[in-house]
Amino acid sequence: MSEIIDALNQLEKEKDISKDVIMDAIEKSLESACEKDFGKDAIIEVSMDRTTGDIYVYQIKKVVETVENEATEISLTQALAMNKKNKVDDEVKIEIKSKEFGRIAAQKARSIIVQAIKEGERNANYDKFHCKEKDIITGVVQRYVGNNISVSLDDKTDTILNENEQVKGEVYRRGDRIKLYVIEVKKNTKGVKVLVSRTHPELVKRLFEKEVTEVADGTVEIKSISREAGSRSKIAVWSNDPNVDPVGACVGLNGTRVNNIVDDLKGEKIDIITWSEDPARFIENALSPSKVISVELGEETDEKGKPIKCAYVVVPDYQLSLAIGKEGQNARLAARLTGYKIDIKSESKARELGMEFDSYDEEYEEYDDSYEEDEE
């Protein structure tokens, strides 16, 4: 039966299904098929030779003086005819020839084998993509399905990039290669469902891991990320090696590393700031590119009485709009990045309110018209 082995080897190569898995399925299917002809009480043992493909089917019976159940028992007289050493309470194996299987049993066996092959394909495909969960995968755009995008991940698997996971303003054409963050991988009746996103903050983190060696090997850690997909992201980084500048490592020589990531994100701006275990310093850094005079930490409570960490920030008058950002974006991203509710006031307003504050720096640069946030 070497043709079976040849077929299984080919199936293993083409479908990426283990030959042993299929053989196990064949053995189980034949055991199931035997129930039709020999009854559910029958104890059937099926063995498939892994080298030759030969199949051996045995019915196991107990040796008794008087047979009460022919499906599970054999008389001592019959057992002795098979082997003179057999005695009462022994178990004997009676080989079942393939011709003894009925047509219905054979069809059932075939059905189970086909199902096992399909399940094997599904499991192999699931394993292939499950290891990509929480990581980046590259696909090829096929077409728009309404406002959603159909993306091919390989020759067997497609996924849908839903409208709410797309970056506003990004437009794709058939054949475009697209990098996606894999949110989750699920099995379903049709195979595998891969849930993907272009808006997830972790997409930015994974891109840095792939682009920046120091992030990939753990020298530089990405401590937190806040993102407004398609517009701007802020990432806080920290170096475990005092000789490695975390921001410089992420930016790269002449900005090559961060620019490659910006290209992958279709022009999304990225602010890279230094994380600090000092919350006040961290908040000051997070409000970059604005300068900060003072950060005072406090606590408030929400409507449900839950405490909220707050930061009261004072900035130079001419830096107020820069600190807040267009439509409040800079302050909003800084708040998400640090986990603090941030209240920003200009220096003159703070003095007017009688706020007391200390400056981190004693001198500030004079206002320069060229130093403004790019609001394009």
Side-chain angles (χ1 to χ4, degrees), residues 49-64:
D49 190 295
R50 268 39 181 175
T51 303
T52 65
D54 291 333
I55 298 173
Y56 303 95
V57 183
Y58 300 95
Q59 185 174 10
I60 300 174
K61 293 187 177 184
K62 184 178 180 179
V63 179
V64 295

Side-chain angles (χ1 to χ4, degrees), residues 221-276:
E221 290 184 54
I222 297 178
K223 290 289 191 176
S224 62
I225 298 176
S226 60
R227 185 185 185 203
E228 293 189 357
S231 179
R232 185 182 294 273
S233 288
K234 282 182 181 284
I235 71 167
V237 295
W238 175 258
S239 177
N240 293 309
D241 183 341
N243 297 317
V244 175
D245 171 23
V247 174
C250 291
V251 171
L253 185 63
N254 297 322
T256 52
R257 287 176 167 178
V258 72
N259 286 339
N260 287 337
I261 295 169
V262 168
D263 288 343
D264 284 330
L265 297 175
K266 308 297 182 183
E268 182 174 314
K269 298 180 178 68
I270 300 176
D271 296 336
I272 306 172
I273 64 103
T274 303
W275 177 85
S276 173

